[in-house]
Amino acid sequence: MSLAPTNESELAEIVAATSEPLRIYGGATKRLLGQTCHGVELTTSGMSGVVTYEPSALTLIVKAGTKLAEIEQLLDENGQRLAFEPIDYCRLLGSLGEATIGGVVACNLSGPRRIQVGACRDFLLGVRFVAGHGKLIKSGGRVMKNVTGLDLTKLMAGSYGTLGVVTEVALKVMPRPETVADIVLHDLSDGDAIRALSQALGSPFGVSGAAHVPNRKLTPLRVEGTEASVKYRLAKLADLLAPMGKAEIRLDASKVSADWRDIRDAGEFAERSGNVWRISVRPSVGPELVEILRRQLPESTALYDWGGGMIWLLVPETQTAQDTVIRQGIANLGGGHATLVRANENARSTVAVFQPMSAGIAKISAGLRRRFDPREIFNRGIMN
Amino acid sequence: MLMPVADDRILARKDEIVRLLRRAVLDGVVIADPAETKAYECDAYTAYTCAPLAVVLPNTTQEVAAVLRVCHEQGVPVVPRGSGTSLTGGALPTADSVVVGMSRMARVLETDIGNRFIRVEAGCTNLSVSKFVEQAGFFYAPDPSSQIACAIGGNIATNAGGAHCLKYGVTSNNLLGVTFVSIEGEILEFGGPFLDAGGLDLLGIICGSEGQLGIVTEATLRILPSPENARPVLFGFETSAQAGACVSDIIRSGTLPVAIEFMDRLVIRATDDFAKANYPDTEALLIVEVEGSIEEIEAQLAIIVAIATSHGAVSVRQSRSAADSANIWKGRKSAFGAMGRLGDYICLDGVIPVSQLSLVLQRITELAATYDLKVGNVFHAGDGNLHPLILFDENLPGQLEKAEALGAEILRLCVDVGGCLTGEHGVGVEKRDLMPLQFSVADLDVQMSVKEVFDPAWRLNPAKVFPLAASADRQVLQ
Amino acid sequence: MKTIFTDDQRLDPKIRDSEKIIRTCVHCGFCTATCPTYQVLGDELDSPRGRIYLIREMLQNNRSPDAKTVKHIDRCLSCLSCVTTCPSGVDYKQLIDHAREHIELTYRRPLADRTLRAVLAYVLQRPALLRWAIRAAWVARPLRRAIPKKLRSMVDFAPHSLPAASQRDLPQVVPAVGEKKFRVALLTGCVQKVLDTAINDATISLLTRHGCDVVVAKGAGCCGALSLHLGRSSESRKAAEKNVEAWFAEIDGRGLDAIVVNTSGCGTVIKDYGLIFRDTELAAKALRVAKITKDVTEFASQLDLSVAANSNIRVAYHSACSLQHGQQVRHEPVDLLAKAGFVVVEPNNAHLCCGSAGTYNLLQPEISGELRRRKVATLEAVTPQIIAAGNIGCMMQIAAGTKVPVIHTVELLDWVTGGKRPEKLRGFAIELPE
């Protein structure tokens, strides 16, 4: 049985009264992310609905349990969208249920547009949450710029529920462009592909997605905007990338959108078994890292997003010490981080799911958790 | 403004502390002569002044760490300082504090065009970063008006914005990593030349922390490809309300310009004298900038001009050349300084929902009239970030207090309509005691507890951000 | 910025002016970004904003300043880059001149410093003496170790050779070649005509060949800039008075269309004569003189300079501070050089001073040397064949740090319009097209 408070004061009472750790979730779509974690189940899905939506101010305030799909539909009806394009983890993790905005915030989700516009944190204007002592706290607000006090809002994004239970979020929404199209390069080696993507991302032509799928030797680049603008920029990109061989321009918006959803969700790995890692490094070292990891972890497969800056890596479960190999490889190439996104329960309780931190940073992180959640009741152990 | 009483025990040990500081910095500068420390008694917020015990200008991160170790061991408060361009007293010293200035740390450490980042020391000016990557066709997006002089370290401390953040975001959206020195003198790395470091978003909390958590000595910044073309357009309006309503409609239309800036008549006149930007002689002015290919610019402008016309724009002037654009922006960016030609002023930084612009501008006019003070308005209209400039005469007794009281009322109004006290200048000392307008005791307690994780003894940048009353008990407890 | 002056203090018109200037400063700090000494030293006290603070304290306290205050004010180059940058319109030029005068009147410098300044002020304005002094420096050079450190820079900076005095620099009227269109006076100055006679010669050649009668007025001499920047305002005024009288006699007599100045450091001060002599009997005359004073490139812009063919010689233009900040003359020299067929390039950080700044390189050799190093690096980075500048001080300063020939703008203009090939190009394979 899950606890499902329907408003902030109910939630605050539960938190203040509990003597057990709480396992917090929204739509239960990302329960397999993070280290294994147990506790009394508490869902925020009972707190849902739009609080304020002002399209002319690009502002949306919703309760944390509001379903992401509902939000996306509402925005779509008003010609707007969440620009950070949060990944839908259901496919990769095989989870049922529907994602809530609270979960999106807690995991600081993003998608292929990360490189152009940012992640959830970059659009999060404010949050309300219940902290470990059972008090309701607000941070940020609803306006576009805000440096009033310390930015707890950023801290809450990506904290996996370990600092407090988010009850309400204010988001900056953006106009939805008229259309989307892409240009796809074929048959490039990883190295050439990443060079092509970097060149395109260094151009002024507004590339809003830059991926490389080694298995299918496809290297798509996405542009969005008005129809005339998209055509113009695709032509410019085609010129720029002409030395990379034949480029295919695709103008069918629904097909292009579907393919980019697939890239966003690492769809290629959804049906295949194995552990999935999410690796972030400086783009130019991506191919070299993958080359090394393929050698050291045979039968691994990579997908590149963010112009090569983010790598999805599928590794057979049987590869031992894969965390060490991956993290050593990253460290040798100038640093970055790796997160184990999909693995069985055993791996998730023995392997460090998140990139281990330096002692100094670990000390600060632990200190912050102690202040927000002195009794360690929120998603205990999920991040360490 | 109430400031904490200087610790006599520190003042008494000045010679000893200065000796230790001199040992901590090999080639750096230590300034301790009262004739010289006086020049460090304030930043661009001059209403309150206090010379520090000493000023240190280190040359390296290691020297910063050595200086902080001395201060930590000696129990001396530390005031970090970039270029001293804060409009809120962010670098206002206390008499028992050591100012750590970053001005000699202004080197570019690494430029990586392929991976679109640059790593610089915190004393680099904002504009110099863009200049450095300009030849390669890139720029650094946050562009506070003081960008010619303000330091990246200060930008990070205040999460600085600027005119173009409507499209490109503020500092926190363009900051990839920092090298940071804790109050204990430990050197820590947060983030790096890659996105989304794992773990808690500590970079996110450091950005905008106004020197409360530590000193940023180096920063890795995201750089972006420069647009093909950019064109500012000037729209003149007969009333501020018309201009305000126009902004809201431009945003609703789905065309998102790079910048939408507002100036009223008082500011237009002051700035045009300096910049020769040929602004229209109207009650209110909007500068709207759009980017892209010439065709894209024309298409966006067609929509925007139609909206402006429907709101009664009496003049429309597109920039004719790069030099013309430069002058248009020069005027806007020097507006605060140019207002100095008219007298002393306090510059506010409240933010409101864009939909409330007309209403709030009207209320500001009414409030100014009741206080019998002049208020000029120049601000980032696209994101509702107001900068009312309250004019007064600093040499006349009582005027500063009166101007501050009006400022507080305007900021209260911002909060009441759903906004906040500060969008990009920071709280500093200026708005420290207004924080309860926006935050509950519990909200502030959590923020202060975050500070204490980094700075348990409250040594860093004393008397800023948190109301003295709220922090007093905690400081005793710690 | 707030000020606290007593009514008694305000009886002094200079205090009144300075208070007004300080009150316009909003302490925004923009000036720090373009101040050369702040770029080198990184200390607020060595920036205009810090100096304004020091000056305010010094004037408010109304007593002899302390050594530290003097040190930081002395370090100011008076390049006036801050004046270009300042959005509030702070008249830093007037303020720093007042401060220097105040220091000179109330502060007793250490002996070596006093000697150096007195010698400089005396010798530099007297061409015959200067020639003699430079020869003396050649003799002293082997003995430099025996010379007090403060004075050593004088020996170090003395040029290695001297041209013979030019007859053209004597009072006379050089008539226009062909039809006369203008009658102009030329300031032949003091230091320049000792160190580099080619500049005045080229100026006279260019102007006369383009229809100007050129008057070297009797009685005109040093403009007073050197002593002004040493804080010796009464000496400076004496020199300036002579010029006002000499040129006004010409204006009043056969008339002048312009007073042409080819040393921009001097031009800046002469253009200020109106301000310097306001409230005196000379006010009206000085204002007339100031009003028709033009940098040679400003004046040459209205002449129709005809060039046979583009030379494609790559010229880096160094903008002297006195020209770009002091007189706000920026595009004229560049436009003229470009129209004259040169490929004109400008260095990065063109707004920063080269470190010459009158006697600054003699008084502050370390900072000056660092500024030269930086300036030469940015100039050489644009790979010029020739560096052009409009001020003798900058030319000497830059030439001491580079092998690229440094030539006055007017010499280049004279050359390509049919004048003499600059002597400074001897040994370089840089030629005009046939």
Side-chain angles (χ1 to χ4, degrees):
Chain A
M1 236 281 301
S2 284
L3 299 168
T6 55
N7 59 51
E8 286 170 340
S9 42
E10 257 181 63
L11 171 65
E13 275 172 36
I14 292 171
V15 170
T18 189
S19 52
E20 300 281 315
L22 301 171
R23 176 71 172 103
I24 303 145
Y25 66 97
T29 59
K30 293 181 279 293
R31 297 199 48 168
L32 298 175
L33 287 182
Q35 310 283 165
T36 341
C37 156
H38 302 287
V40 175
E41 308 262 307
L42 184 147
T43 177
T44 56
S45 55
M47 297 180 285
S48 102
V50 172
V51 180
T52 308
Y53 176 35
E54 251 192 75
S56 64
L58 304 179
T59 315
L60 172 70
I61 306 175
V62 286
K63 294 186 185 162
T66 313
K67 293 194 170 80
L68 180 61
E70 281 174 29
I71 292 173
E72 284 177 335
Q73 193 192 332
L74 171 69
L75 293 177
D76 194 58
E77 285 162 10
N78 285 276
Q80 297 186 328
R81 67 176 182 185
L82 295 175
F84 57 94
E85 200 180 9
I87 173 177
D88 177 359
Y89 265 119
C90 287
R91 288 180 67 191
L92 196 60
L93 302 178
S95 35
L96 303 168
E98 287 184 75
T100 63
I101 193 69
V104 170
V105 170
C107 302
N108 184 32
L109 298 187
S110 60
R113 220 174 280 120
R114 171 70 185 92
I115 195 156
Q116 190 194 32
V117 303
C120 177
R121 77 189 279 276
D122 297 294
F123 293 84
L124 192 61
L125 303 173
V127 290
R128 290 161 68 91
F129 62 95
V130 172
H133 45 43
K135 282 186 189 152
L136 181 71
I137 307 298
K138 68 172 179 299
S139 164
R142 54 155 294 185
V143 284
M144 295 299 136
K145 280 158 98 181
N146 192 340
V147 283
T148 325
L150 296 181
D151 194 353
L152 305 184
T153 310
K154 292 272 183 317
L155 206 51
M156 295 306 291
S159 64
Y160 286 78
T162 59
L163 300 180
V165 186
V166 173
T167 61
E168 188 179 298
V169 304
L171 293 160
K172 177 182 186 179
V173 297
M174 297 296 272
R176 172 174 40 95
E178 194 177 293
T179 191
V180 53
D182 67 5
I183 177 168
V184 185
L185 304 172
H186 292 271
D187 299 322
L188 296 181
S189 68
D190 288 12
D192 284 345
I194 300 310
R195 269 188 291 280
L197 296 180
S198 286
Q199 206 186 349
L201 286 167
S203 78
F205 306 122
V207 173
S208 82
H212 174 60
V213 188
N215 267 3
R216 290 156 52 205
K217 295 241 174 185
L218 295 179
T219 311
L221 292 132
R222 180 175 65 178
V223 289
E224 298 166 288
T226 61
E227 206 167 311
S229 161
V230 162
K231 280 190 177 146
Y232 166 80
R233 286 183 282 142
L234 285 173
K236 284 284 190 183
L237 285 169
D239 283 351
L240 185 73
L241 300 171
M244 293 294 178
K246 191 178 159 303
E248 170 199 4
I249 286 180
R250 309 191 311 162
L251 296 172
D252 178 349
S254 63
K255 170 89 175 81
V256 169
S257 298
D259 282 358
W260 278 92
R261 266 199 301 280
D262 204 48
I263 292 169
R264 179 192 74 185
D265 299 340
E268 190 171 311
F269 293 170
E271 318 301 326
R272 300 170 59 184
S273 67
N275 291 346
V276 176
W277 289 84
R278 188 175 184 271
I279 297 169
S280 180
V281 288
R282 49 172 94 180
S284 61
V285 305
E288 192 181 346
L289 176 67
V290 167
E291 176 69 31
I292 292 167
L293 296 181
R294 276 194 197 121
R295 216 172 327 129
Q296 297 188 1
L297 303 170
E299 290 169 58
S300 297
T301 313
L303 285 174
Y304 297 84
D305 201 349
W306 307 353
M310 199 268 274
I311 299 161
W312 292 106
L313 192 72
L314 180 72
V315 184
E317 280 183 14
T318 49
Q319 290 289 348
T320 52
Q322 50 184 272
D323 54 328
T324 318
V325 170
I326 292 170
R327 288 182 173 136
Q328 192 56 53
I330 293 171
N332 291 345
L333 288 173
H337 53 92
T339 308
L340 179 56
V341 168
R342 186 180 76 186
N344 61 33
E345 178 141 349
N346 180 44
R348 289 194 301 119
S349 45
T350 52
V351 171
V353 164
F354 295 98
Q355 180 77 20
M357 291 168 273
S358 70
I361 291 183
K363 190 178 135 212
I364 292 171
S365 302
L368 287 171
R369 288 214 175 81
R370 230 177 1 259
R371 299 286 181 147
F372 278 76
D373 177 22
R375 295 179 294 153
E376 288 185 70
I377 54 172
F378 296 142
N379 283 354
R380 183 189 285 178
I382 198 168
M383 286 186 87
N384 46 24
Chain B
M1 189 70 54
L2 198 63
M3 287 299 278
V5 180
D7 185 338
D8 284 334
R9 290 163 303 176
I10 295 174
L11 300 181
R13 282 185 295 122
K14 174 172 174 176
D15 292 348
E16 166 70 2
I17 292 163
V18 168
R19 195 181 58 78
L20 292 169
L21 289 172
R22 288 198 206 283
R23 244 182 24 199
V25 289
L26 271 176
D27 310 313
V29 173
V30 177
I31 298 161
D33 185 327
E36 299 190 290
T37 53
K38 190 149 178 61
Y40 288 86
E41 70 179 11
C42 65
D43 44 38
Y45 179 64
T46 57
Y48 301 94
T49 58
C50 176
L53 187 77
V55 179
V56 188
L57 307 176
N59 281 315
T60 62
T61 298
Q62 282 68 29
E63 285 187 357
V64 174
V67 167
L68 290 196
R69 275 195 295 276
V70 169
C71 294
H72 179 60
E73 280 156 17
Q74 298 296 317
V76 180
V78 174
V79 176
R81 190 177 201 267
S83 297
T85 57
S86 168
L87 291 162
T88 64
L92 174 66
T94 52
D96 54 3
S97 69
V98 168
V99 168
V100 180
M102 301 306 292
S103 50
R104 292 168 72 91
M105 290 181 63
R107 285 158 287 224
V108 173
L109 303 169
E110 184 183 1
T111 316
D112 188 336
I113 297 296
N115 288 311
R116 301 175 299 280
F117 75 84
I118 182 169
R119 198 160 64 86
V120 299
E121 287 183 328
C124 263
T125 61
N126 173 291
L127 190 63
S128 72
V129 174
S130 277
K131 287 265 179 219
F132 204 81
V133 294
E134 192 178 33
Q135 287 296 316
F138 281 76
F139 72 109
Y140 174 59
D143 62 337
S145 297
S146 57
Q147 69 180 141
I148 183 173
C150 62
I152 288 296
N155 286 183
I156 294 169
T158 56
N159 191 13
H164 291 75
C165 62
L166 184 59
K167 175 170 178 188
Y168 295 112
V170 294
T171 302
S172 71
N173 310 114
N174 292 280
L175 179 67
L176 296 171
V178 296
T179 302
F180 169 102
V181 182
S182 74
I183 185 67
E184 289 93 356
E186 191 183 352
I187 299 169
L188 298 168
E189 298 287 340
F190 296 89
F194 40 80
L195 292 168
D196 292 348
L200 295 178
D201 189 357
L202 300 180
L203 193 59
I205 192 114
I206 288 167
C207 192
S209 62
E210 302 194 39
Q212 292 296 311
L213 308 183
I215 297 186
V216 169
T217 58
E218 295 168 19
T220 306
L221 309 170
R222 190 167 85 119
I223 50 172
L224 302 174
S226 307
E228 284 175 277
N229 306 279
R231 192 187 302 166
V233 184
L234 302 172
F235 296 101
F237 293 89
E238 281 309 338
T239 70
S240 292
Q242 285 176 327
C246 177
V247 172
S248 204
D249 273 3
I250 291 174
I251 287 172
R252 195 204 301 265
S253 75
T255 41
L256 197 59
V258 199
I260 307 179
E261 299 287 306
F262 175 102
M263 283 196 228
D264 68 11
R265 191 186 283 277
L266 199 60
V267 182
I268 294 171
R269 284 195 186 146
T271 51
D272 213 39
D273 267 2
F274 170 66
K276 314 274 184 278
N278 195 12
Y279 292 142
D281 185 20
T282 49
E283 209 46 55
L285 157 70
L286 291 179
I287 305 172
V288 181
E289 182 161 281
V290 288
E291 285 180 352
S293 68
I294 299 299
E295 294 75 17
E296 288 170 313
I297 286 177
E298 299 288 350
Q300 291 175 71
L301 281 181
I303 298 169
I304 293 167
V305 169
I307 294 170
T309 311
S310 77
H311 282 280
V314 287
S315 74
V316 179
R317 181 168 90 73
Q318 301 200 10
S319 164
R320 284 179 287 263
S321 65
D324 195 11
S325 301
N327 281 343
I328 288 172
W329 280 114
K330 185 177 170 193
R332 167 59 190 91
K333 295 204 167 185
S334 50
F336 294 169
M339 286 294 281
R341 293 161 190 254
L342 304 183
D344 304 302
Y345 61 80
I346 300 183
C347 171
L348 306 179
D349 179 40
V351 189
I352 55 163
V354 177
S355 46
Q356 305 290 316
L357 268 176
S358 297
L359 170 84
V360 170
L361 289 173
Q362 180 55 36
R363 280 292 293 144
I364 290 176
T365 310
E366 290 162 16
L367 283 169
T370 55
Y371 277 81
D372 194 22
L373 288 171
K374 271 191 186 159
V375 175
N377 278 297
V378 47
F379 58 87
H380 312 302
D383 36 33
N385 188 183
L386 305 182
H387 293 313
L389 299 161
I390 304 173
L391 288 163
F392 69 103
D393 186 339
E394 211 167 358
N395 278 5
L396 292 182
Q399 282 256 304
L400 170 65
E401 291 72 16
K402 195 167 143 189
E404 283 180 330
L406 171 58
E409 285 225 42
I410 292 174
L411 291 179
R412 183 190 302 273
L413 168 67
C414 292
V415 174
D416 285 348
V417 300
C420 68
L421 297 173
T422 171
E424 54 184 9
H425 296 173
V427 177
V429 283
E430 187 213 12
K431 292 178 282 286
R432 181 190 72 195
D433 295 321
L434 298 176
M435 288 287 272
L437 288 180
Q438 197 179 325
F439 295 111
S440 70
V441 172
D443 297 341
L444 284 174
D445 267 338
V446 176
Q447 291 186 28
M448 289 188 286
S449 69
V450 168
K451 171 180 170 65
E452 285 161 1
V453 171
F454 290 83
D455 179 25
W458 286 76
R459 298 264 185 262
L460 280 159
N461 213 6
K464 318 284 155 52
V465 184
F466 302 110
L468 284 194
S471 64
D473 296 348
R474 304 186 69 99
Q475 295 195 40
V476 172
L477 280 176
Q478 299 294 327
Chain C
M1 252 161 54
K2 199 171 171 169
T3 50
I4 312 166
F5 286 99
T6 63
D7 288 341
D8 258 8
Q9 286 175 307
R10 291 195 182 105
L11 291 176
D12 178 350
K14 286 207 161 149
I15 291 285
R16 278 206 304 276
D17 283 352
S18 289
E19 179 178 23
K20 225 166 109 191
I21 295 167
I22 295 166
R23 289 281 291 134
T24 55
C25 173
V26 298
H27 218 247
C28 69
F30 282 24
C31 55
T32 60
T34 58
C35 173
T37 54
Y38 185 78
Q39 297 303 304
V40 172
L41 301 163
D43 186 347
E44 178 80 13
L45 293 151
D46 295 311
S47 76
R49 183 171 66 167
R51 290 191 190 103
I52 291 172
Y53 234 79
L54 293 170
I55 294 169
R56 183 184 70 170
E57 295 306 306
M58 178 175 81
L59 297 178
Q60 278 180 176
N61 290 337
N62 199 19
R63 54 165 189 258
S64 161
D66 58 275
K68 294 254 165 79
T69 298
V70 173
K71 175 174 91 177
H72 295 296
I73 291 174
D74 278 353
R75 281 180 178 172
C76 171
L77 295 140
S78 279
C79 71
L80 306 180
S81 179
C82 51
V83 173
T84 301
T85 309
C86 177
S88 316
V90 174
D91 186 352
Y92 180 83
K93 179 167 62 175
Q94 205 186 332
L95 189 65
I96 191 79
D97 285 344
H98 183 197
R100 291 193 203 278
E101 185 185 349
H102 182 89
I103 291 171
E104 218 46 41
L105 293 174
T106 61
Y107 178 74
R108 191 169 165 83
R109 293 174 182 277
L111 181 65
D113 201 12
R114 238 182 308 148
T115 314
L116 175 61
R117 286 168 171 266
V119 170
L120 287 178
Y122 195 79
V123 172
L124 290 178
Q125 298 172 43
R126 291 170 175 77
L129 197 54
L130 178 58
R131 260 193 208 97
W132 178 87
I134 290 170
R135 294 197 182 102
W138 296 344
V139 177
R141 201 162 270 150
L143 310 170
R144 68 184 291 280
R145 279 169 181 285
I147 301 168
K149 203 175 160 214
K150 262 274 173 196
L151 304 180
R152 226 178 268 166
S153 58
M154 281 201 297
V155 176
D156 292 346
F157 277 90
H160 291 260
S161 63
L162 277 182
S166 168
Q167 294 306 308
R168 283 280 163 101
D169 289 334
L170 300 173
Q172 61 187 294
V173 178
V174 188
V177 177
E179 186 201 347
K180 179 198 138 185
K181 294 175 200 145
F182 300 101
R183 187 168 192 274
V184 301
L186 175 67
L187 168 78
T188 53
C190 44
V191 176
Q192 176 167 295
K193 67 184 181 196
V194 174
L195 299 180
D196 189 345
T197 51
I199 301 171
N200 286 343
D201 288 349
T203 308
I204 292 170
S205 158
L206 180 78
L207 293 176
T208 50
R209 284 188 299 101
H210 288 86
C212 302
D213 278 358
V214 179
V215 184
V216 180
K218 191 157 186 271
C222 173
C223 65
L226 287 169
S227 39
L228 180 70
H229 295 144
L230 288 166
R232 298 164 173 257
S233 54
S234 62
E235 271 174 42
S236 168
R237 277 168 96 105
K238 270 184 216 142
E241 259 173 45
K242 285 189 197 159
N243 286 348
V244 171
E245 294 292 8
W247 286 323
F248 193 76
E250 289 292 338
I251 295 172
D252 220 18
R254 299 193 50 201
L256 285 180
D257 294 302
I259 297 164
V260 173
V261 183
N262 56 19
T263 41
S264 57
C266 307
T268 308
V269 171
I270 298 169
K271 285 181 175 181
D272 258 0
Y273 277 179
L275 190 69
I276 292 170
F277 290 103
R278 79 182 162 165
D279 311 327
T280 71
E281 288 172 2
L282 274 185
K285 291 180 182 176
L287 199 63
R288 279 288 293 282
V289 165
K291 276 207 162 142
I292 61 164
T293 299
K294 297 270 183 295
D295 182 74
V296 63
T297 55
E298 279 180 288
F299 184 75
S301 295
Q302 53 181 304
L303 303 176
D304 188 19
L305 303 189
S306 48
V307 184
N310 284 352
S311 64
N312 288 326
I313 298 170
R314 201 170 159 85
V315 173
Y317 174 68
H318 162 73
S319 195
C321 297
S322 40
L323 209 48
Q324 62 169 332
H325 304 304
Q327 302 180 43
Q328 301 283 324
V329 172
R330 291 203 181 79
H331 64 91
E332 290 89 342
V334 177
D335 292 351
L336 281 171
L337 287 169
K339 257 171 57 188
F342 294 103
V343 177
V344 188
V345 285
E346 289 183 80
N348 261 342
N349 292 324
H351 61 281
L352 289 182
C353 178
C354 64
S356 163
T359 54
Y360 193 89
N361 51 3
L362 301 170
L363 297 167
Q364 303 280 348
E366 286 93 9
I367 300 172
S368 167
E370 174 59 21
L371 288 171
R372 169 170 55 210
R373 195 189 60 72
R374 293 182 184 200
K375 180 56 74 184
V376 167
T378 53
L379 282 166
E380 288 182 347
V382 293
T383 61
Q385 293 169 277
I386 294 173
I387 295 168
N391 192 42
I392 175 81
C394 307
M395 291 168 62
M396 308 268 302
Q397 171 83 352
I398 293 167
T402 182
K403 293 203 164 63
V404 182
V406 184
I407 300 178
H408 198 288
T409 312
V410 84
E411 289 181 81
L412 293 177
L413 295 176
D414 183 45
W415 176 33
V416 295
T417 57
K420 225 174 85 199
R421 181 172 190 266
E423 200 52 28
K424 298 175 192 93
L425 285 179
R426 181 178 291 177
F428 290 94
I430 301 170
E431 297 300 338
L432 293 181
E434 290 299 313

